[in-house]
Structures are given as C-alpha cells and as structure tokens.
Amino acid sequence: MLYVLDQSWGGGGAERLATSVIAGLDESRFDRYLCFTRPTEERSKVNARAAGITILELNRRSKLDLLPWLRLMRLLRAKRIDVLHTHKHGSNFWGAIISGIVRTPVFFAHEHSWPYTGDRLRVLVDRFLISRRATQMIAVSEADKQLMIAVEHIDSDRITILPNGIAPPVVGDVEALRAELRIAPGAPVIVCVGARPEKRVDRLLRAFAEITVSFPDARLLVIGRSSDEEGLQALVDELGLGALAQLLGNRTDVATILELADIAVIASDREGSPLAVLEYMAAGCGIVAARVGGIPDMVGDGVEGILIDPADHEELTEAVSRLLRDPSLREQLGAAARERQIREFSLAHVVALTGELYESAFAATGRGTRPATIGGR
C-alpha cells in the first residue's frame, strides 16, 4: 500500500497522523510505501526509513509542476500497488486521476476536515471526481461525514469514518521545564496547542487578560507557529500580559508541557478531530474546547471537558475560570478524558482499524481474501 502526502514540512495533525499510522502498520502484512509530493523535512524521512518504509520524493515546486507525477505512476505500476491512500484535497485530486489511469484496485481519499464553505470548485471536484473514483472517502468524524453529505452531496455509503489517534505521550523532566519557563510552583498553567489563525489564539489572550484579574499568578503557554506572530505578540503587549503569556513557537516537548498544565484550551473557529485535543485528553488536563467540527464527538460536555461557543468571550472566560476555581472538577474531567482517549483514540486502535479497512476493501475486489501482504509485489 502507498500513502501520498503533500508534505510534512510544517505539516499539522493530518501529516503527523498519517506518518504515524503507516509506520504502525504490520510490515509482515503490508508492503509500505510513502510518497511526499513536496520538499520534506529530513526528520520525517529518517523516521520513516527507520520504520522500514520505502519513500518516494517528488519534490514538486508548485501546483503547475506536473511531470513528477509520472514518477508516482511508474512506481504504482512497477510495484503493482494494491491500495493507494491519499491525504487532503490536493493529493486526493491527483490520486483520483492517477489511480484511474494505472487502475489501482483500491483507492482511499482521506479528508482531514475543511470549512466546507466558499469554495464551489472544491465541492464539485470532491463530489464528481474524487468521491466517484474512490473506493471510499474517509472522514475523521461524524460531523465531517454529515458535512460531506449535506454540502458536497456525497452518498453516505461512500464515506467511512476513521477516527484520529495518538501514541502514548512521552513525558520529560517536568520540573526542569518549569524552571526553564520560570513558572513558580503552584502557579496555575493554561496551555493552548496550535497558533494558526483559525485557532483564534487572540480570543484566548483576551479572555486570559480578564482571568488574570482573579488569578494574577496564572500563566498561559501557546505552542505552535502563526502566520501572524508579530500581531499576537503585539496583542500580548497591548493587553499588558508581559511574561504571563508566552508564545513558545514550535516545540518537541509538547507532552511535557501538557503534563505541567492544569487547563488546556482550544477556541478554534473550525476543526476536524484535532490531535491537540487528543493530546489534552492523554495528559488528563482540564479541557475547555470549542463546540465545532468533530470536537463534540471526542469530548462530552461536562463529562470529559467543558464545551463552549468559541465566539462567546464570556463563556470562554467563565469556563477557564471555573476550572481554575475547582481543582476537583478539573481532576474528574481530566481522568475521564484520559480514559476515553486510551479506549477510543489510541494510535494502536486506529492502526488496527486501518489495516482491517485495507484488507476488507482488497478482498472485495475479488483479487484475494485477506492476503498475507498488501502493497507492492
């Protein structure tokens, strides 16, 4: 089987999940190939090769750089790939075309969520090209599936839900991190993972400014790069937050930072099934999350966290303040969230579901039943 990703350089949750899943597939059952269509960071390639995955790099420089796709077609033919699994719209588009040309038996088009508004061409491509060529479209949540049906008019039976999952967190030295970030013992810590514009860190910063009136020793840590880092830092300065709010940029120790956290927040305008929320759950944080996309399928309101209308400033401020005031509630919600993440959203569970999906789809082609290996021959 072969995965196609646009790139991993600066990639978000979709790219991380895809590379983790293919690495987790049993190499005795699947011949695993991974195609990066754009220039890719070296670390991703090293990790993939260490897992025994064969890599193809197309190094496309723009949307109009079409000749490299011929290399993918040659690989599909030469290795007689049985299952092609593409991720996100650009790769799904080319996967639909190429799989038809080389007659790949099974083609999965994996959509990791988008706003489903304002792009009529994309809707038409999904509806009339990708979904019709794909063995199945893959959605990451029931909410996304329903949007595919309502907005793109894709038949329900052509959509499979495959949840996201994460590996158990590897936690480093929490006290060393506390010292590095100059956070006093006992100071409440609020964390937000993700700083792209749709994550609406600006909303959280404004809410945090009010929260510090009642909790003056609280700290806010924002992880991730933003296209408007200067604007976010200017807002920190405008609100007079100083060192209380830190924009940390990209970090490799997210699990350790979350272990330090009391509360984790996501106030996005839109989401699919964000890996950040799964990381919050795995860490047992008190979660405040926007009631958007697939988040309500992951976090039950009042069960594993508190859900809010992301545009409601008062609701966001009160939800965080409530968890700061009530440590027992934080602990209760955090424990339930951790238990559910292990049960329903572990990487091992998602890898198992993915393998079953491939074997079932291949068997349905009539070319064999539950073969020892699927992929290249």
Side-chain angles (χ1 to χ4, degrees):
M1 49 76 54
L2 187 148
Y3 270 27
V4 178
L5 291 171
D6 186 27
Q7 60 184 328
S8 71
W9 192 282
E15 291 80 9
R16 287 192 290 133
L17 175 67
T19 52
S20 296
V21 170
I22 190 173
L25 289 168
D26 185 352
E27 61 183 328
S28 69
R29 294 165 59 202
F30 302 97
D31 295 326
R32 300 165 301 162
Y33 295 81
L34 175 58
C35 174
F36 292 116
T37 69
R38 299 292 183 98
T40 300
E41 62 182 345
E42 192 63 30
R43 182 177 62 180
S44 294
K45 294 182 285 187
V46 169
N47 291 343
R49 290 191 179 103
I53 299 166
T54 302
I55 293 177
L56 173 67
E57 298 177 74
L58 300 187
N59 290 318
R60 295 177 64 234
R61 300 292 173 175
S62 72
K63 292 181 179 180
L64 299 179
D65 192 5
L66 305 182
L67 286 179
W69 289 115
L70 295 176
R71 295 174 55 208
L72 176 60
M73 294 172 64
R74 284 197 292 269
L75 177 66
L76 289 166
R77 284 186 171 125
K79 299 299 182 180
R80 298 173 61 196
I81 299 295
D82 299 307
V83 179
L84 177 65
H85 188 158
T86 59
H87 294 263
K88 303 177 75 170
H89 180 72
S91 294
N92 293 344
F93 171 78
W94 286 107
I97 293 173
I98 290 170
S99 65
I101 294 173
V102 303
R103 298 184 180 181
T104 306
V106 177
F107 166 49
F108 289 108
H110 203 138
E111 185 53 70
H112 292 265
S113 190
W114 66 290
Y116 295 92
T117 57
D119 191 338
R120 184 64 178 165
L121 178 59
R122 176 166 177 168
V123 168
L124 293 175
V125 168
D126 278 352
R127 180 182 179 185
F128 292 109
L129 174 62
I130 297 173
S131 69
R132 292 189 179 184
R133 170 57 200 152
T135 305
Q136 286 278 284
M137 297 284 287
I138 296 180
V140 295
S141 70
E142 180 64 32
D144 271 17
K145 177 177 178 178
Q146 293 306 317
L147 283 169
M148 286 180 176
I149 295 169
V151 178
E152 300 185 316
H153 304 293
I154 297 173
D155 291 341
S156 174
D157 60 3
R158 298 194 64 80
I159 306 171
T160 293
I161 297 175
L162 190 61
N164 291 342
I166 59 172
V170 178
V171 178
D173 190 331
V174 176
E175 292 310 311
L177 177 65
R178 186 188 300 277
E180 174 195 336
L181 300 177
R182 299 181 180 179
I183 298 175
V189 178
I190 303 164
V191 171
C192 172
V193 176
R196 295 194 301 272
E198 67 270 20
K199 303 294 183 180
R200 295 309 300 267
V201 173
D202 58 317
R203 285 178 179 155
L204 179 55
L205 287 170
R206 294 184 189 281
F208 181 66
E210 293 191 15
I211 290 165
T212 57
V213 175
S214 300
F215 301 92
D217 58 342
R219 297 288 296 273
L220 173 63
L221 307 176
V222 177
I223 303 170
R225 300 296 298 271
S226 170
S227 59
D228 186 27
E229 290 184 17
E230 291 184 2
L232 289 179
Q233 186 59 56
L235 182 57
V236 169
D237 297 338
E238 175 189 329
L239 294 170
L241 293 173
L244 295 180
Q246 290 181 259
L247 307 178
L248 300 179
N250 289 338
R251 300 278 299 207
T252 59
D253 56 349
V254 174
T256 309
I257 295 173
L258 287 172
E259 191 70 20
L260 185 65
D262 299 291
I263 299 170
V265 180
I266 187 164
S268 305
D269 282 327
R270 59 179 178 85
E271 287 289 351
S273 291
L275 296 191
V277 170
L278 297 184
E279 291 170 333
Y280 297 174
M281 297 171 76
C285 297
I287 298 172
V288 175
R291 193 183 290 104
V292 297
I295 291 178
D297 293 339
M298 304 161 71
V299 177
D301 190 18
V303 181
E304 291 95 14
I306 298 176
L307 299 184
I308 59 161
D309 176 351
D312 190 325
H313 173 81
E314 291 184 3
E315 193 175 0
L316 171 58
T317 304
E318 175 51 33
V320 176
S321 298
R322 179 185 175 192
L323 290 183
L324 287 174
R325 291 192 301 265
D326 194 341
S328 63
L329 177 60
R330 287 203 312 265
E331 184 175 341
Q332 173 190 329
L333 296 176
R338 183 187 290 114
E339 180 181 336
R340 186 173 182 189
Q341 184 275 316
I342 293 170
R343 183 177 67 250
E344 299 182 28
F345 302 109
S346 70
L347 179 61
H349 180 57
V350 175
V351 169
L353 290 176
T354 303
E356 292 169 6
L357 183 65
Y358 293 164
E359 292 188 322
S360 174
F362 183 75
T365 67
R367 301 185 181 216
T369 56
R370 304 189 69 79
T373 60
I374 294 177
R377 291 165 291 173

